Amino acid sequence: MGRKWNNIKEKKAAKDQGTARIYAKFGREIYVAAKQGEPDPESNGALKVVLERAKTYSVPKHIIDRAIDKAKGGGEENFDELRYEGFGPNGSMIIVDALSNNVNRTAADVRATYGKNGGNMGVSGAVSYMFDATAVFALEGKSADEVLELLIEADVDVRDVFEEGESTIIYAEPDQFNAVQEALKAQGITEYGVAELTMLPQTEVQLDGEDLVKFERLIDLLEELEDVQHVYHNVEL
């Protein structure tokens, strides 16, 4: 799992921070999480995770409040959670997660974006077996040993804790996201460079030249689709 989270954080910040697109995506995700359970993060673990992730992207409070209020008011808009798997240039692997109120539209948009940009959409399960669902945190100010010790003391299981540049990275099972957060919070750690649920590739591939240009364009266009929430891949960038 060689994902370089500092690089990813910087690239995503440059592209997403402060943009209407990322706010809209979080607004939809918060609404869905709040509607599926209680509109209170203290009794809704899924909502709590989304709100913590939104915090790392500086999503404004009014966006969050509007989405939760919409769910409280019994908003009638329903969204399906969808996953599309496929391949980019030179056999690279891509997973697209979406929230859609029109499945046919979303499927057509994703398929067309793959096909017009050097990729092709596969069947369900075509590439996801090569990825691991993972909770990821990146924080500063404590060493990997210090973080691991406090997590052990809090009886929280993690996959790995390591240092990358000036950050300490934590990998854990997705269902441990809130447990990790609470253990860190108990030690006064409430700010993260990264707090995400992601799909980590088991192995990464390298692309160069025209393949890399096509791949990056494909990822950008997939991420720009209205219904797409997350795009994961196995290309080392």
Side-chain angles (χ1 to χ4, degrees):
M1 291 191 231
R3 300 280 280 186
K4 296 176 176 59
W5 285 99
N6 287 330
N7 293 340
I8 291 171
K9 177 180 66 175
E10 290 169 4
K11 288 180 180 179
K12 287 189 72 64
K15 185 165 60 175
D16 291 333
Q17 198 83 344
T19 67
R21 182 181 69 177
I22 200 69
Y23 295 165
K25 289 180 186 294
F26 269 109
R28 181 178 292 192
E29 198 168 346
I30 291 165
Y31 166 74
V32 169
K35 190 178 179 185
Q36 288 178 343
E38 293 294 325
D40 179 358
E42 294 309 313
S43 56
N44 184 335
L47 178 59
K48 189 174 183 179
V49 170
V50 179
L51 294 181
E52 187 57 53
R53 291 177 44 241
K55 181 180 173 183
T56 67
Y57 286 86
S58 302
V59 177
K61 185 175 184 297
H62 74 271
I63 299 287
I64 295 171
D65 290 345
R66 184 190 306 153
I68 293 177
D69 288 344
K70 182 179 177 182
K72 285 180 179 178
E76 296 181 0
E77 196 170 13
N78 294 310
F79 292 91
D80 291 305
E81 297 182 13
L82 307 170
R83 170 163 288 178
Y84 303 99
E85 304 177 32
F87 301 89
N90 205 24
S92 51
M93 298 181 179
I94 303 171
I95 296 174
V96 176
D97 282 349
L99 288 173
S100 174
N101 58 3
N102 186 324
V103 175
N104 291 334
R105 178 196 66 216
T106 306
D109 287 347
V110 173
R111 186 180 299 278
T113 303
Y114 268 114
K116 293 177 181 178
N117 296 279
N120 61 285
M121 200 161 79
V123 299
S124 176
V127 303
S128 57
Y129 72 97
M130 292 295 294
F131 291 73
D132 297 315
T134 306
V136 180
F137 291 83
L139 56 96
E140 296 183 0
K142 285 191 177 295
S143 69
D145 288 342
E146 290 172 327
V147 170
L148 182 58
E149 183 178 354
L150 72 85
L151 291 172
I152 291 173
E153 288 178 356
D155 197 27
V156 177
D157 291 328
V158 294
R159 290 185 195 162
D160 197 8
V161 180
F162 59 95
E163 293 172 20
E164 182 182 285
E166 297 181 356
S167 297
T168 294
I169 312 298
I170 303 167
Y171 287 162
E173 296 295 331
D175 62 5
Q176 293 295 297
F177 186 101
N178 288 325
V180 171
Q181 181 194 12
E182 290 300 319
L184 296 174
K185 184 178 179 181
Q187 298 298 318
I189 302 170
T190 59
E191 299 293 331
Y192 315 103
V194 173
E196 273 291 353
L197 292 175
T198 191
M199 296 291 287
L200 284 178
Q202 295 169 8
T203 59
E204 292 183 325
V205 299
Q206 290 185 328
L207 298 179
D208 52 32
E210 187 63 24
D211 282 342
L212 181 58
V213 172
K214 288 181 179 179
F215 174 81
E216 291 184 329
R217 175 171 173 76
L218 172 57
I219 296 299
D220 285 344
L221 291 172
L222 286 170
E223 289 181 336
E224 288 173 5
L225 294 176
E226 179 183 357
D227 299 327
V228 170
Q229 295 293 118
H230 308 285
V231 179
Y232 312 109
H233 60 80
N234 71 334
V235 174
E236 183 176 345
L237 298 175

